[in-house]
Amino acid sequence: MTPHIISGNTVTVFIGGDLRTIDSSHPNFTEIKDALREDQPVEDLIDISAALRKQVLYEDDLIRVGYDTLNYNDQPLHNYLTQRIIEMAKYKQPIAPWIAFLKRVQMNPDQEIRDDLFEWLEHAGMPITPDGYFLAYKKVRDDYLSFHDGKTRNDVGSTIFLPREECDPDRFSYCSSGLHFCSWHYLGNYLGDQGKVLVLKINPADVVAFPRDDTAKGRAWRYTIVDEVEAEKAEWAFPKPVYTTVYDDPDNDAESPTIFGRIRAWTRRWLN
């Protein structure tokens, strides 16, 4: 039995040789008294921060999300994506798409991509899908052949791939070997109004390189073409549903016609 004294609006308890006094302002005051009377442990009730650190917000065979930690395959994992997942879990937001993305990106053999890809995608406005892939754009010729080699045909519904070893993993090489993809913001920088605009679905495990700066163009060794869109409508043409964790944008996003704006506005309303 834990030594204790209950007196009016205070409780004095001995824990690990230390004397702790709790008054009625403690949020767990009633629960602490009840637990002491029933000879139940009270350490976590008294130390709220310790209890929160032990709290499991999400758990499956590979991932365990706590109040301030995320473990992958029983090892702590610290990067921008894991912090986003923890934040969303604290707010009790659905996190399944980001968990799926995390599992896929962890299959990428490049450590830098595993650590940095999600933050780069978020800044570039390339959202993820419910199954943990992400969406991006690509320009091709009017006959759907690649501008680069003039041979590779990019039809909606097809999957294009190269051997990964033939793709350049150097993040400082902006134009090099590999299958290129980009954000909406980059589209206008490539051949102006020429060509067709395609929507790609890409597994984060298949990304080979992306720049260290804000240039929103990357390379993968495989992608699937899921749609074709008119260039002038490309900004809001991603298929639904797509997800982003950005929820602190200006209020005028609520009036934005883009999918990004609608999702950000929805997320902000949900949090409020």
Side-chain angles (χ1 to χ4, degrees):
M1 182 175 183
T2 303
H4 66 276
I5 300 172
I6 299 176
S7 177
N9 291 327
T10 62
V11 171
T12 302
V13 59
F14 292 90
I15 299 177
D18 293 329
L19 180 66
R20 302 285 297 274
T21 299
I22 301 99
D23 62 28
S24 58
S25 65
H26 193 290
N28 291 334
F29 183 70
T30 300
E31 289 84 352
I32 291 169
K33 290 196 299 182
D34 292 343
L36 288 169
R37 288 171 178 144
E38 297 173 7
D39 196 21
Q40 298 296 316
V42 295
E43 289 87 343
D44 286 350
L45 290 172
I46 293 173
D47 190 343
I48 297 174
S49 62
L52 288 174
R53 287 193 295 272
K54 294 179 181 178
Q55 184 178 359
V56 177
L57 303 176
Y58 172 89
E59 189 170 22
D60 63 25
D61 291 342
L62 273 178
I63 295 173
R64 184 179 187 273
V65 181
Y67 195 78
D68 57 4
T69 59
L70 186 151
N71 283 12
Y72 177 85
N73 203 18
D74 294 328
Q75 297 297 318
L77 192 60
H78 304 287
N79 57 42
Y80 182 84
L81 172 58
T82 62
Q83 289 305 306
R84 284 295 204 186
I85 290 174
I86 292 169
E87 289 172 14
M88 289 187 290
K90 287 179 183 178
Y91 283 112
K92 302 187 185 301
Q93 283 187 267
I95 59 174
W98 294 273
I99 292 291
F101 182 95
L102 176 61
K103 290 179 179 179
R104 292 189 185 280
V105 78
Q106 284 300 114
M107 300 301 292
N108 196 302
D110 189 312
Q111 180 68 51
E112 286 192 345
I113 291 176
R114 295 198 298 269
D115 287 341
D116 300 341
L117 177 61
F118 181 80
E119 182 175 10
W120 182 77
L121 291 173
E122 187 175 83
H123 290 167
M126 286 182 269
I128 66 173
T129 63
D131 52 356
Y133 289 69
F134 68 93
L135 300 179
Y137 292 105
K138 184 179 185 69
K139 270 189 180 179
V140 295
R141 295 184 347 188
D142 287 337
D143 58 4
Y144 298 96
L145 295 180
S146 166
F147 275 116
H148 176 67
D149 64 15
K151 298 183 295 183
T152 304
R153 186 170 178 86
N154 291 263
D155 293 314
V156 173
S158 62
T159 297
I160 311 299
F161 61 91
L162 289 172
R164 187 177 187 117
E165 59 270 19
E166 293 183 12
C167 302
D168 184 0
D170 186 355
R171 295 181 66 180
F172 291 98
S173 297
Y174 284 33
C175 293
S176 190
S177 57
L179 301 176
H180 289 220
F181 62 89
C182 71
S183 71
W184 171 78
H185 299 284
Y186 188 85
L187 276 177
N189 296 326
Y190 186 68
L191 298 173
D193 296 331
Q194 297 183 52
K196 304 285 189 180
V197 177
L198 305 176
V199 177
L200 311 180
K201 183 178 181 181
I202 304 173
N203 188 333
D206 297 340
V207 173
V208 175
F210 56 90
R212 297 178 184 274
D213 59 20
D214 292 333
T215 302
K217 182 180 75 168
R219 296 188 296 277
W221 69 269
R222 177 171 56 186
Y223 59 68
T224 297
I225 304 156
V226 296
D227 205 356
E228 176 186 348
V229 296
E230 298 177 35
E232 61 272 16
K233 298 179 180 178
E235 184 180 6
W236 55 88
F238 276 140
K240 297 180 183 179
V242 294
Y243 300 87
T244 174
T245 63
V246 178
Y247 49 78
D248 54 357
D249 287 65
D251 289 339
N252 61 10
D253 269 349
E255 304 301 323
S256 171
T258 69
I259 286 177
F260 300 124
R262 289 198 295 272
I263 292 174
R264 285 193 291 260
W266 173 86
T267 309
R268 187 167 51 250
R269 287 196 300 271
W270 197 95
L271 290 175
N272 291 336

PDB file of all heavy atoms in Angstrom, residues 233-260:
ATOM      1  N   LYS A 233      -5.959  24.537 -65.846  1.00  0.00           N
ATOM      2  CA  LYS A 233      -6.747  24.051 -64.710  1.00  0.00           C
ATOM      3  C   LYS A 233      -5.942  23.115 -63.808  1.00  0.00           C
ATOM      4  O   LYS A 233      -6.494  22.529 -62.882  1.00  0.00           O
ATOM      5  CB  LYS A 233      -7.992  23.318 -65.212  1.00  0.00           C
ATOM      6  CG  LYS A 233      -8.940  24.189 -66.018  1.00  0.00           C
ATOM      7  CD  LYS A 233     -10.145  23.386 -66.499  1.00  0.00           C
ATOM      8  CE  LYS A 233     -11.099  24.256 -67.311  1.00  0.00           C
ATOM      9  NZ  LYS A 233     -12.258  23.476 -67.816  1.00  0.00           N
ATOM     10  N   ALA A 234      -4.671  23.003 -64.064  1.00  0.00           N
ATOM     11  CA  ALA A 234      -3.868  21.988 -63.379  1.00  0.00           C
ATOM     12  C   ALA A 234      -3.775  22.215 -61.878  1.00  0.00           C
ATOM     13  O   ALA A 234      -3.691  21.262 -61.105  1.00  0.00           O
ATOM     14  CB  ALA A 234      -2.466  21.948 -63.981  1.00  0.00           C
ATOM     15  N   GLU A 235      -3.817  23.474 -61.445  1.00  0.00           N
ATOM     16  CA  GLU A 235      -3.584  23.747 -60.026  1.00  0.00           C
ATOM     17  C   GLU A 235      -4.602  23.041 -59.139  1.00  0.00           C
ATOM     18  O   GLU A 235      -4.281  22.603 -58.043  1.00  0.00           O
ATOM     19  CB  GLU A 235      -3.619  25.250 -59.752  1.00  0.00           C
ATOM     20  CG  GLU A 235      -3.282  25.593 -58.304  1.00  0.00           C
ATOM     21  CD  GLU A 235      -3.309  27.087 -58.040  1.00  0.00           C
ATOM     22  OE1 GLU A 235      -3.689  27.851 -58.945  1.00  0.00           O
ATOM     23  OE2 GLU A 235      -2.954  27.479 -56.923  1.00  0.00           O
ATOM     24  N   TRP A 236      -5.856  22.932 -59.586  1.00  0.00           N
ATOM     25  CA  TRP A 236      -6.877  22.315 -58.744  1.00  0.00           C
ATOM     26  C   TRP A 236      -7.424  21.025 -59.358  1.00  0.00           C
ATOM     27  O   TRP A 236      -8.561  20.645 -59.138  1.00  0.00           O
ATOM     28  CB  TRP A 236      -8.017  23.289 -58.467  1.00  0.00           C
ATOM     29  CG  TRP A 236      -8.672  23.881 -59.677  1.00  0.00           C
ATOM     30  CD1 TRP A 236      -9.717  23.377 -60.387  1.00  0.00           C
ATOM     31  CD2 TRP A 236      -8.336  25.115 -60.312  1.00  0.00           C
ATOM     32  NE1 TRP A 236     -10.046  24.198 -61.421  1.00  0.00           N
ATOM     33  CE2 TRP A 236      -9.218  25.289 -61.402  1.00  0.00           C
ATOM     34  CE3 TRP A 236      -7.372  26.102 -60.067  1.00  0.00           C
ATOM     35  CZ2 TRP A 236      -9.161  26.396 -62.247  1.00  0.00           C
ATOM     36  CZ3 TRP A 236      -7.328  27.202 -60.913  1.00  0.00           C
ATOM     37  CH2 TRP A 236      -8.204  27.344 -61.976  1.00  0.00           C
ATOM     38  N   ALA A 237      -6.587  20.351 -60.123  1.00  0.00           N
ATOM     39  CA  ALA A 237      -7.082  19.198 -60.875  1.00  0.00           C
ATOM     40  C   ALA A 237      -6.683  17.849 -60.299  1.00  0.00           C
ATOM     41  O   ALA A 237      -6.981  16.826 -60.897  1.00  0.00           O
ATOM     42  CB  ALA A 237      -6.593  19.282 -62.319  1.00  0.00           C
ATOM     43  N   PHE A 238      -6.014  17.804 -59.151  1.00  0.00           N
ATOM     44  CA  PHE A 238      -5.661  16.502 -58.600  1.00  0.00           C
ATOM     45  C   PHE A 238      -6.918  15.706 -58.272  1.00  0.00           C
ATOM     46  O   PHE A 238      -7.893  16.257 -57.762  1.00  0.00           O
ATOM     47  CB  PHE A 238      -4.829  16.652 -57.328  1.00  0.00           C
ATOM     48  CG  PHE A 238      -3.360  16.857 -57.584  1.00  0.00           C
ATOM     49  CD1 PHE A 238      -2.640  17.753 -56.823  1.00  0.00           C
ATOM     50  CD2 PHE A 238      -2.711  16.150 -58.570  1.00  0.00           C
ATOM     51  CE1 PHE A 238      -1.285  17.939 -57.039  1.00  0.00           C
ATOM     52  CE2 PHE A 238      -1.358  16.322 -58.800  1.00  0.00           C
ATOM     53  CZ  PHE A 238      -0.644  17.227 -58.033  1.00  0.00           C
ATOM     54  N   PRO A 239      -6.898  14.397 -58.525  1.00  0.00           N
ATOM     55  CA  PRO A 239      -8.051  13.574 -58.137  1.00  0.00           C
ATOM     56  C   PRO A 239      -8.237  13.599 -56.623  1.00  0.00           C
ATOM     57  O   PRO A 239      -7.281  13.731 -55.873  1.00  0.00           O
ATOM     58  CB  PRO A 239      -7.655  12.167 -58.607  1.00  0.00           C
ATOM     59  CG  PRO A 239      -6.562  12.378 -59.597  1.00  0.00           C
ATOM     60  CD  PRO A 239      -5.851  13.625 -59.178  1.00  0.00           C
ATOM     61  N   LYS A 240      -9.479  13.462 -56.177  1.00  0.00           N
ATOM     62  CA  LYS A 240      -9.759  13.407 -54.746  1.00  0.00           C
ATOM     63  C   LYS A 240      -9.798  11.948 -54.309  1.00  0.00           C
ATOM     64  O   LYS A 240     -10.121  11.065 -55.091  1.00  0.00           O
ATOM     65  CB  LYS A 240     -11.104  14.067 -54.443  1.00  0.00           C
ATOM     66  CG  LYS A 240     -11.171  15.548 -54.772  1.00  0.00           C
ATOM     67  CD  LYS A 240     -12.554  16.086 -54.428  1.00  0.00           C
ATOM     68  CE  LYS A 240     -12.676  17.547 -54.805  1.00  0.00           C
ATOM     69  NZ  LYS A 240     -14.016  18.070 -54.502  1.00  0.00           N
ATOM     70  N   PRO A 241      -9.576  11.653 -53.002  1.00  0.00           N
ATOM     71  CA  PRO A 241      -9.123  12.599 -51.988  1.00  0.00           C
ATOM     72  C   PRO A 241      -7.606  12.684 -51.939  1.00  0.00           C
ATOM     73  O   PRO A 241      -6.924  11.709 -52.214  1.00  0.00           O
ATOM     74  CB  PRO A 241      -9.661  11.986 -50.695  1.00  0.00           C
ATOM     75  CG  PRO A 241      -9.616  10.515 -50.957  1.00  0.00           C
ATOM     76  CD  PRO A 241      -9.910  10.347 -52.435  1.00  0.00           C
ATOM     77  N   VAL A 242      -7.104  13.856 -51.617  1.00  0.00           N
ATOM     78  CA  VAL A 242      -5.684  14.033 -51.359  1.00  0.00           C
ATOM     79  C   VAL A 242      -5.543  14.735 -50.023  1.00  0.00           C
ATOM     80  O   VAL A 242      -6.474  15.359 -49.533  1.00  0.00           O
ATOM     81  CB  VAL A 242      -4.980  14.840 -52.471  1.00  0.00           C
ATOM     82  CG1 VAL A 242      -4.985  14.074 -53.773  1.00  0.00           C
ATOM     83  CG2 VAL A 242      -5.634  16.203 -52.655  1.00  0.00           C
ATOM     84  N   TYR A 243      -4.360  14.636 -49.429  1.00  0.00           N
ATOM     85  CA  TYR A 243      -4.178  15.123 -48.071  1.00  0.00           C
ATOM     86  C   TYR A 243      -2.910  15.956 -47.965  1.00  0.00           C
ATOM     87  O   TYR A 243      -1.916  15.691 -48.616  1.00  0.00           O
ATOM     88  CB  TYR A 243      -4.060  13.947 -47.093  1.00  0.00           C
ATOM     89  CG  TYR A 243      -5.262  13.051 -47.082  1.00  0.00           C
ATOM     90  CD1 TYR A 243      -5.360  11.991 -47.979  1.00  0.00           C
ATOM     91  CD2 TYR A 243      -6.309  13.264 -46.193  1.00  0.00           C
ATOM     92  CE1 TYR A 243      -6.469  11.161 -47.978  1.00  0.00           C
ATOM     93  CE2 TYR A 243      -7.416  12.438 -46.188  1.00  0.00           C
ATOM     94  CZ  TYR A 243      -7.490  11.391 -47.079  1.00  0.00           C
ATOM     95  OH  TYR A 243      -8.582  10.570 -47.080  1.00  0.00           O
ATOM     96  N   THR A 244      -2.975  16.962 -47.079  1.00  0.00           N
ATOM     97  CA  THR A 244      -1.798  17.725 -46.709  1.00  0.00           C
ATOM     98  C   THR A 244      -1.893  18.029 -45.228  1.00  0.00           C
ATOM     99  O   THR A 244      -2.988  18.101 -44.676  1.00  0.00           O
ATOM    100  CB  THR A 244      -1.693  19.037 -47.505  1.00  0.00           C
ATOM    101  OG1 THR A 244      -0.592  19.803 -46.998  1.00  0.00           O
ATOM    102  CG2 THR A 244      -2.938  19.873 -47.391  1.00  0.00           C
ATOM    103  N   THR A 245      -0.755  18.192 -44.558  1.00  0.00           N
ATOM    104  CA  THR A 245      -0.793  18.494 -43.128  1.00  0.00           C
ATOM    105  C   THR A 245      -0.718  19.982 -42.853  1.00  0.00           C
ATOM    106  O   THR A 245      -0.688  20.390 -41.708  1.00  0.00           O
ATOM    107  CB  THR A 245       0.371  17.817 -42.385  1.00  0.00           C
ATOM    108  OG1 THR A 245       1.602  18.351 -42.867  1.00  0.00           O
ATOM    109  CG2 THR A 245       0.353  16.324 -42.580  1.00  0.00           C
ATOM    110  N   VAL A 246      -0.661  20.809 -43.878  1.00  0.00           N
ATOM    111  CA  VAL A 246      -0.549  22.253 -43.661  1.00  0.00           C
ATOM    112  C   VAL A 246      -1.894  22.784 -43.193  1.00  0.00           C
ATOM    113  O   VAL A 246      -2.863  22.779 -43.932  1.00  0.00           O
ATOM    114  CB  VAL A 246      -0.114  22.968 -44.949  1.00  0.00           C
ATOM    115  CG1 VAL A 246      -0.040  24.467 -44.711  1.00  0.00           C
ATOM    116  CG2 VAL A 246       1.239  22.452 -45.406  1.00  0.00           C
ATOM    117  N   TYR A 247      -1.960  23.237 -41.930  1.00  0.00           N
ATOM    118  CA  TYR A 247      -3.238  23.730 -41.428  1.00  0.00           C
ATOM    119  C   TYR A 247      -3.121  25.109 -40.794  1.00  0.00           C
ATOM    120  O   TYR A 247      -3.978  25.530 -40.046  1.00  0.00           O
ATOM    121  CB  TYR A 247      -3.845  22.760 -40.414  1.00  0.00           C
ATOM    122  CG  TYR A 247      -2.917  22.296 -39.316  1.00  0.00           C
ATOM    123  CD1 TYR A 247      -2.626  23.110 -38.236  1.00  0.00           C
ATOM    124  CD2 TYR A 247      -2.356  21.038 -39.370  1.00  0.00           C
ATOM    125  CE1 TYR A 247      -1.791  22.680 -37.237  1.00  0.00           C
ATOM    126  CE2 TYR A 247      -1.515  20.597 -38.364  1.00  0.00           C
ATOM    127  CZ  TYR A 247      -1.243  21.415 -37.299  1.00  0.00           C
ATOM    128  OH  TYR A 247      -0.408  20.976 -36.311  1.00  0.00           O
ATOM    129  N   ASP A 248      -2.051  25.843 -41.093  1.00  0.00           N
ATOM    130  CA  ASP A 248      -1.875  27.153 -40.478  1.00  0.00           C
ATOM    131  C   ASP A 248      -1.727  28.247 -41.528  1.00  0.00           C
ATOM    132  O   ASP A 248      -1.035  29.222 -41.326  1.00  0.00           O
ATOM    133  CB  ASP A 248      -0.658  27.152 -39.551  1.00  0.00           C
ATOM    134  CG  ASP A 248       0.604  26.665 -40.255  1.00  0.00           C
ATOM    135  OD1 ASP A 248       0.518  26.283 -41.432  1.00  0.00           O
ATOM    136  OD2 ASP A 248       1.655  26.677 -39.611  1.00  0.00           O
ATOM    137  N   ASP A 249      -2.391  28.074 -42.669  1.00  0.00           N
ATOM    138  CA  ASP A 249      -2.311  29.059 -43.731  1.00  0.00           C
ATOM    139  C   ASP A 249      -3.263  30.221 -43.464  1.00  0.00           C
ATOM    140  O   ASP A 249      -4.129  30.145 -42.604  1.00  0.00           O
ATOM    141  CB  ASP A 249      -2.646  28.416 -45.080  1.00  0.00           C
ATOM    142  CG  ASP A 249      -1.516  27.517 -45.549  1.00  0.00           C
ATOM    143  OD1 ASP A 249      -1.269  26.517 -44.864  1.00  0.00           O
ATOM    144  OD2 ASP A 249      -0.900  27.823 -46.567  1.00  0.00           O
ATOM    145  N   PRO A 250      -3.141  31.311 -44.231  1.00  0.00           N
ATOM    146  CA  PRO A 250      -4.025  32.457 -44.029  1.00  0.00           C
ATOM    147  C   PRO A 250      -5.491  32.076 -44.166  1.00  0.00           C
ATOM    148  O   PRO A 250      -5.857  31.141 -44.860  1.00  0.00           O
ATOM    149  CB  PRO A 250      -3.599  33.423 -45.146  1.00  0.00           C
ATOM    150  CG  PRO A 250      -2.193  33.050 -45.448  1.00  0.00           C
ATOM    151  CD  PRO A 250      -2.113  31.562 -45.253  1.00  0.00           C
ATOM    152  N   ASP A 251      -6.361  32.853 -43.513  1.00  0.00           N
ATOM    153  CA  ASP A 251      -7.785  32.540 -43.498  1.00  0.00           C
ATOM    154  C   ASP A 251      -8.408  32.526 -44.883  1.00  0.00           C
ATOM    155  O   ASP A 251      -9.413  31.861 -45.106  1.00  0.00           O
ATOM    156  CB  ASP A 251      -8.536  33.549 -42.625  1.00  0.00           C
ATOM    157  CG  ASP A 251      -8.222  33.353 -41.149  1.00  0.00           C
ATOM    158  OD1 ASP A 251      -7.780  32.244 -40.793  1.00  0.00           O
ATOM    159  OD2 ASP A 251      -8.423  34.300 -40.377  1.00  0.00           O
ATOM    160  N   ASN A 252      -7.824  33.263 -45.831  1.00  0.00           N
ATOM    161  CA  ASN A 252      -8.457  33.315 -47.144  1.00  0.00           C
ATOM    162  C   ASN A 252      -8.369  31.999 -47.893  1.00  0.00           C
ATOM    163  O   ASN A 252      -8.959  31.851 -48.952  1.00  0.00           O
ATOM    164  CB  ASN A 252      -7.876  34.448 -48.000  1.00  0.00           C
ATOM    165  CG  ASN A 252      -6.382  34.277 -48.243  1.00  0.00           C
ATOM    166  OD1 ASN A 252      -5.802  33.235 -47.938  1.00  0.00           O
ATOM    167  ND2 ASN A 252      -5.765  35.317 -48.784  1.00  0.00           N
ATOM    168  N   ASP A 253      -7.669  31.006 -47.338  1.00  0.00           N
ATOM    169  CA  ASP A 253      -7.664  29.688 -47.965  1.00  0.00           C
ATOM    170  C   ASP A 253      -9.064  29.090 -48.004  1.00  0.00           C
ATOM    171  O   ASP A 253      -9.366  28.237 -48.824  1.00  0.00           O
ATOM    172  CB  ASP A 253      -6.737  28.735 -47.212  1.00  0.00           C
ATOM    173  CG  ASP A 253      -5.328  28.768 -47.783  1.00  0.00           C
ATOM    174  OD1 ASP A 253      -5.133  29.352 -48.858  1.00  0.00           O
ATOM    175  OD2 ASP A 253      -4.443  28.213 -47.139  1.00  0.00           O
ATOM    176  N   ALA A 254      -9.923  29.518 -47.075  1.00  0.00           N
ATOM    177  CA  ALA A 254     -11.274  28.963 -47.048  1.00  0.00           C
ATOM    178  C   ALA A 254     -12.022  29.271 -48.335  1.00  0.00           C
ATOM    179  O   ALA A 254     -12.946  28.556 -48.715  1.00  0.00           O
ATOM    180  CB  ALA A 254     -12.042  29.524 -45.850  1.00  0.00           C
ATOM    181  N   GLU A 255     -11.627  30.360 -49.016  1.00  0.00           N
ATOM    182  CA  GLU A 255     -12.289  30.729 -50.262  1.00  0.00           C
ATOM    183  C   GLU A 255     -11.524  30.227 -51.483  1.00  0.00           C
ATOM    184  O   GLU A 255     -11.915  30.486 -52.609  1.00  0.00           O
ATOM    185  CB  GLU A 255     -12.417  32.256 -50.338  1.00  0.00           C
ATOM    186  CG  GLU A 255     -13.141  32.878 -49.142  1.00  0.00           C
ATOM    187  CD  GLU A 255     -14.543  32.323 -48.988  1.00  0.00           C
ATOM    188  OE1 GLU A 255     -15.196  32.067 -50.021  1.00  0.00           O
ATOM    189  OE2 GLU A 255     -14.984  32.138 -47.841  1.00  0.00           O
ATOM    190  N   SER A 256     -10.426  29.518 -51.257  1.00  0.00           N
ATOM    191  CA  SER A 256      -9.596  29.084 -52.374  1.00  0.00           C
ATOM    192  C   SER A 256     -10.297  28.015 -53.188  1.00  0.00           C
ATOM    193  O   SER A 256     -10.917  27.113 -52.641  1.00  0.00           O
ATOM    194  CB  SER A 256      -8.265  28.534 -51.846  1.00  0.00           C
ATOM    195  OG  SER A 256      -7.540  27.920 -52.889  1.00  0.00           O
ATOM    196  N   PRO A 257     -10.216  28.076 -54.535  1.00  0.00           N
ATOM    197  CA  PRO A 257     -10.837  27.042 -55.362  1.00  0.00           C
ATOM    198  C   PRO A 257      -9.993  25.780 -55.459  1.00  0.00           C
ATOM    199  O   PRO A 257     -10.410  24.809 -56.052  1.00  0.00           O
ATOM    200  CB  PRO A 257     -10.928  27.729 -56.734  1.00  0.00           C
ATOM    201  CG  PRO A 257      -9.746  28.643 -56.760  1.00  0.00           C
ATOM    202  CD  PRO A 257      -9.599  29.141 -55.338  1.00  0.00           C
ATOM    203  N   THR A 258      -8.778  25.794 -54.904  1.00  0.00           N
ATOM    204  CA  THR A 258      -7.900  24.650 -55.068  1.00  0.00           C
ATOM    205  C   THR A 258      -8.214  23.571 -54.052  1.00  0.00           C
ATOM    206  O   THR A 258      -8.743  23.828 -52.972  1.00  0.00           O
ATOM    207  CB  THR A 258      -6.426  25.059 -54.893  1.00  0.00           C
ATOM    208  OG1 THR A 258      -6.209  25.387 -53.525  1.00  0.00           O
ATOM    209  CG2 THR A 258      -6.072  26.236 -55.770  1.00  0.00           C
ATOM    210  N   ILE A 259      -7.871  22.349 -54.402  1.00  0.00           N
ATOM    211  CA  ILE A 259      -8.020  21.251 -53.453  1.00  0.00           C
ATOM    212  C   ILE A 259      -7.188  21.517 -52.209  1.00  0.00           C
ATOM    213  O   ILE A 259      -7.618  21.287 -51.088  1.00  0.00           O
ATOM    214  CB  ILE A 259      -7.608  19.924 -54.113  1.00  0.00           C
ATOM    215  CG1 ILE A 259      -8.697  19.478 -55.087  1.00  0.00           C
ATOM    216  CG2 ILE A 259      -7.375  18.832 -53.072  1.00  0.00           C
ATOM    217  CD1 ILE A 259      -8.368  18.229 -55.842  1.00  0.00           C
ATOM    218  N   PHE A 260      -5.966  22.053 -52.401  1.00  0.00           N
ATOM    219  CA  PHE A 260      -5.114  22.340 -51.256  1.00  0.00           C
ATOM    220  C   PHE A 260      -5.807  23.311 -50.307  1.00  0.00           C
ATOM    221  O   PHE A 260      -5.820  23.123 -49.100  1.00  0.00           O
ATOM    222  CB  PHE A 260      -3.779  22.937 -51.712  1.00  0.00           C
ATOM    223  CG  PHE A 260      -2.992  22.037 -52.607  1.00  0.00           C
ATOM    224  CD1 PHE A 260      -2.592  22.463 -53.857  1.00  0.00           C
ATOM    225  CD2 PHE A 260      -2.666  20.759 -52.209  1.00  0.00           C
ATOM    226  CE1 PHE A 260      -1.871  21.629 -54.690  1.00  0.00           C
ATOM    227  CE2 PHE A 260      -1.946  19.919 -53.036  1.00  0.00           C
ATOM    228  CZ  PHE A 260      -1.546  20.359 -54.282  1.00  0.00           C
TER     229      PHE A 260
END
